Amino acid sequence: MKFEEVVSGSGAQAAEGKVVTVRVHAHNLSGRKITDCYVESFVLGQGQTMPALELLSNGMQVGGKRHAQVSPRYLYPNLTGMKGLLPNQTVILHIELLDCQNVAMDSQMQCTLITEQEVADLFDRWNASLQTKDARKVTDNYSKSAVLLPTVSNVPRTNHGAIEDYFEHFLMKNPVGRIDERHIHMGCNMVQDTGLYTFTLEGGQHVQARYSFIYVLENGHWVISHHHSSMMPEDMSRAH
């Protein structure tokens, strides 16, 4: 699969084992846009997304852009977010690397098992902490080295102080979360929960967003290492 890198980028370079966040859309071979632009986070090298995104993202630097003519075998069976594609359709896939972070792991620990229900419980724990209206209690769900790419802020939050500051403002909206669709991928002392969720805000407003939670085992407790959340395109168009 040949690709063209149209911007060299800067900063961290994507490699296996790193959490990357990319912006993606696709055109057909005639140049017509056939998918919405969407954002996805995943861990490189763990088969959590379509093979084309794995291949194109690997080795990119933050801010870099690539596009490639991609055959169906590099797209299927995982077409998360790629609504509009047809079976056996070759496309021009465009990606931009937005963020790249290491996953904090303790190499001395043995792999600890966790069930899908326990992963769902981790989201419920986070959601329940929102209901306390206490930003510090929400922030306690996050690793000390966590990265939060939030729904309603353009500023990446890379430490507890910045994460707590975000939730000080977000909690004023009285948010209540609900999972609409989820996909869980297990690793060694790490698990990724990705999908769609909806927040009900004060006044009855509903906001649907894509999400990625990456949890790691830290000092015997499952905490959030990476949290990305982005509004659905239709919600973004209504917001502007």
Side-chain angles (χ1 to χ4, degrees):
M1 181 178 63
K2 295 181 179 179
F3 64 84
E4 179 182 352
E5 186 168 2
V6 294
V7 176
S8 60
S10 61
Q13 186 177 70
E16 287 195 4
K18 289 192 175 184
V19 183
V20 298
T21 301
V22 296
R23 180 183 291 118
V24 187
H25 72 274
H27 287 78
N28 65 15
L29 298 184
S30 299
R32 182 176 64 85
K33 188 174 180 180
I34 55 176
T35 70
D36 290 330
C37 186
Y38 73 100
V39 177
E40 183 172 348
S41 296
F42 54 92
V43 180
L44 267 176
Q46 295 199 356
Q48 297 173 344
T49 187
M50 68 179 75
L53 282 188
E54 290 267 6
L55 289 169
L56 289 170
S57 300
N58 194 25
M60 288 184 67
Q61 290 185 312
V62 173
K65 296 180 181 180
R66 285 178 175 171
H67 63 261
Q69 180 173 312
V70 179
S71 66
R73 70 190 182 99
Y74 288 104
L75 295 171
Y76 297 92
N78 190 330
L79 284 174
T80 304
M82 299 294 285
K83 295 179 180 178
L85 293 186
L86 300 175
N88 302 316
Q89 182 178 30
T90 297
V91 301
I92 305 297
L93 196 65
H94 301 259
I95 72 168
E96 178 184 1
L97 186 64
L98 302 179
D99 187 65
C100 178
Q101 299 289 335
N102 291 317
V103 178
M105 295 288 290
D106 185 344
S107 61
Q108 301 302 312
M109 296 181 66
Q110 295 182 345
C111 294
T112 299
L113 298 178
I114 185 172
T115 66
E116 290 197 359
Q117 181 56 56
E118 288 171 328
V119 176
D121 291 342
L122 291 175
F123 172 81
D124 292 341
R125 181 187 71 183
W126 177 84
N127 194 34
S129 70
L130 297 181
Q131 313 317 306
T132 69
K133 307 298 188 293
D134 186 334
R136 179 165 296 181
K137 289 183 178 179
V138 180
T139 305
D140 285 343
N141 292 294
Y142 292 80
S143 165
K144 296 296 184 183
S145 59
V147 174
L148 168 64
L149 303 176
T151 313
V152 292
S153 171
N154 293 327
V155 180
R157 310 300 171 119
T158 59
N159 57 64
H160 266 205
I163 292 172
E164 184 174 337
D165 174 74
Y166 171 76
F167 284 112
E168 288 282 1
H169 296 86
F170 185 59
L171 291 178
M172 295 174 65
K173 302 176 184 290
N174 295 320
V176 178
R178 182 192 73 237
I179 297 292
D180 301 318
E181 177 184 335
R182 73 162 16 116
H183 306 275
I184 294 173
H185 301 275
M186 303 292 189
C188 179
N189 296 335
M190 179 183 69
V191 60
Q192 178 169 315
D193 179 7
T194 63
L196 305 176
Y197 54 14
T198 298
F199 285 104
T200 301
L201 306 178
E202 190 172 44
Q205 180 186 4
H206 298 280
V207 176
Q208 190 178 35
R210 302 179 178 92
Y211 75 86
S212 297
F213 286 100
I214 294 178
Y215 300 95
V216 297
L217 195 63
E218 192 172 270
N219 299 320
H221 299 282
W222 288 98
V223 291
I224 301 166
S225 174
H226 179 92
H227 179 192
H228 165 257
S229 184
S230 59
M231 293 175 66
M232 297 290 282
E234 53 267 32
D235 283 331
M236 291 177 66
S237 63
R238 286 196 296 264
H240 292 287

